[in-house]
Amino acid sequence: MSVTSRHRWWQRGILYEVYVRSWADASGDGVGDLRGIRSRLDHLAWLGVDAIWITPFFPSPMVDGGYDVADYTGVDPLFGTIGDFDALLAAAHDRSLRVILDLVPNHTSDRHPWFIESRASRSSPKRDWYLWRDPAPGGGPPNNWVSEFGGPAWEWDAATEQYYYHAFASAQPDLNWRHPQVRGAMYDAMRFWLDRGVDGFRVDVMWHMLKDEHFRDDPPNPDYRAGMAEYRSLIHAYSSDQPDVHEVVREMRAVLDGYDERLLIGEIYLPVDELVDYYGREGHEAHLPFNFHLIGTPWDARQIAVLIDRYEGALPEHAWPNWVLGNHDQPRVASRIGDAQARVAAMLLLTLRGTPTLYYGEELGLRDAEISPDRVTDVREESEPGRGLGRDPERTPMPWDASEHGGFTHGLPWLPLGELNRSRSVEAQRDDPGSMLTLHRRLIALRRAEPALAIGDYWPVHAGGDVLAYRRTHGGRDLLVALNLGSSHARLALPPGLGPFRVLLATIGSLEGGTCQRELELPANAGMILEPLASSDRR
Ligand code: GLC
């Protein structure tokens, strides 16, 4: 067995998030769909990624863009049919692309038959499938818990005179994961898709699934300031990340382990030390608890260096790292740090140790689009308007070509594409050697060609100022990555014994092929991957 074959496909591979509503629309109704995804799979094969995670396409009233599921084993007509899904899965597998589904187990839609039955009466057999509570002794909600979308997390049901809990919108009641039948029903839904051949799940809000059994109040957050999202007014000591959630994650993992090589990813927004607990003590929980810390950490070389060290240091021995720059809930990376640094960020993401996940359009350098008030669709914008919390700007349709709606749809797109993003289409960038798309494709190809990048060890290299540097090593190969996270020229003194090097790939093409002996010159916003100069080349 070769060294590389000991690694699983998802350790060597690169994941790509497809926000189903915005990637490609085949039906012409202006909303992306499964047939659309199938029609564009060649882009992904050409780009070189290994797997797509498709956001929810299950039947839904679409209060939260499909994260309010009304049937876990169907396809919403907006996105197609189960036949379309099977055809997409087969077409993806034909191209060696794996397919990861989005499982939303924490809550259902209030239109799900389970909730309708639960709500019907206090004696309903499904009453305890959800979290129903009496009012507090003096009246009002049972405790102080706040919804992630702002406002109380409790909704009054006048007919049965109890409150139900919802961590998100009131149309998304939370399931009671202490109930064995709830667990069984969700594991059956997982098996439904695994039996069809899906390669794994990204589990929505994994750390939310269990709440304190005694429903104690969350303590106030002393760092809360006016203008922050209301959710941040409390420390969520009791409403999320409860110790027994790990038992649920282990059970989910056991469902997947009944199949071959399936992948379990957890969406988890927690500090590094708590995040890594979701690998499980024995490694029997999530394969990849999503690491979102590159999104929240200031774009500063020293802070990112500390983050990488802390994360690497916190990982349990068996755990495989992973990194993410963006997703459908966060402002796009090019908008957060600018176009020039987005190229550096791409190099960071694709050269760090651990599985990278790309968000669709990152490979094009898409930015958050301007959404006029009359085009707002996101429940998050509606729940706390005007605070910049809405997620429509990062969810706009993928621009494929120069045609009217960027080749995304023949109809009217559900969100505008934005002029700037339209100019950054796949067609416009595909053959441009200096484009963001070409940079991504080359970085991905290099990661595939160089085991040091895909599965090698990580060694930080001492650097100062705006420079972030590290080595990736494997089987005698020793690559140096040097990134200038600043907008002025910088230098990196090579540690004794390292070098000379030659630039293998750079965010600024003209730097490629250049060599350096003792000190590396890094122009503003430059990132480079360097290989040792072979002794025959040194003369
Ligand atoms: C996750 C999803 C987000 C959704 C929320 C509630 O965070 O990524 O889009 O609104 O869960 O399901």
Side-chain angles (χ1 to χ4, degrees), residues 6 33 36 61 149 161 175 219 230 268 308 348 351 358 361 381 423 446 469 487:
R6 269 198 280 115
D33 49 37
F149 289 167
E161 298 194 320
L175 282 161
E230 192 185 346
I268 299 159
I308 300 168
L348 174 69
T351 58
L358 287 166
E381 178 62 30
S423 72
L446 189 64
S487 54

Side-chain angles (χ1 to χ4, degrees), residues 325-345:
L325 284 176
N327 60 39
H328 64 282
D329 297 322
Q330 304 292 339
R332 283 188 176 274
V333 60
S335 290
R336 299 200 308 269
I337 63 177
D339 292 347
Q341 281 296 319
R343 295 175 70 89
V344 179

Side-chain angles (χ1 to χ4, degrees), residues 19 53 64 67-68 102 104 107 148-149 168 172 202 204-205 207 267 269 327-329 378-379 391 395:
Y19 190 67
W53 145 35
D64 184 15
Y67 283 93
D68 45 324
D102 207 319
V104 191
H107 45 267
E148 281 244 22
F149 289 167
F168 295 88
Q172 294 167 292
R202 170 267 189 193
D204 194 64
V205 298
W207 83 113
E267 185 208 19
Y269 285 91
N327 60 39
H328 64 282
D329 297 322
D378 183 21
V379 59
R391 300 164 296 179
R395 295 176 174 180

Side-chain angles (χ1 to χ4, degrees), residues 54-130:
I54 309 174
T55 57
F57 50 75
F58 317 106
S60 166
M62 305 290 165
V63 169
D64 184 15
Y67 283 93
D68 45 324
V69 177
D71 172 4
Y72 286 94
T73 56
V75 173
D76 195 285
L78 186 64
F79 302 123
T81 63
I82 193 84
D84 293 334
F85 176 77
D86 289 339
L88 166 58
L89 186 64
H93 284 169
D94 281 349
R95 290 165 178 78
S96 301
L97 284 166
R98 315 261 178 163
V99 176
I100 309 294
L101 297 199
D102 207 319
L103 183 74
V104 191
N106 177 69
H107 45 267
T108 69
S109 160
D110 62 353
R111 304 282 88 214
H112 195 295
W114 299 341
F115 187 71
I116 294 173
E117 193 182 335
S118 178
R119 181 175 217 165
S121 86
R122 286 197 186 204
S123 57
S124 153
K126 289 211 170 53
R127 186 67 170 179
D128 290 339
W129 279 40
Y130 293 83

Side-chain angles (χ1 to χ4, degrees), residues 13-42:
I14 296 166
L15 314 180
Y16 182 102
E17 176 184 356
V18 170
Y19 190 67
V20 59
R21 305 177 72 89
S22 294
W23 209 60
D25 170 28
S27 72
D29 64 358
V31 178
D33 49 37
L34 299 178
R35 279 200 296 128
I37 298 176
R38 180 153 62 101
S39 74
R40 296 286 190 183
L41 284 178
D42 286 336

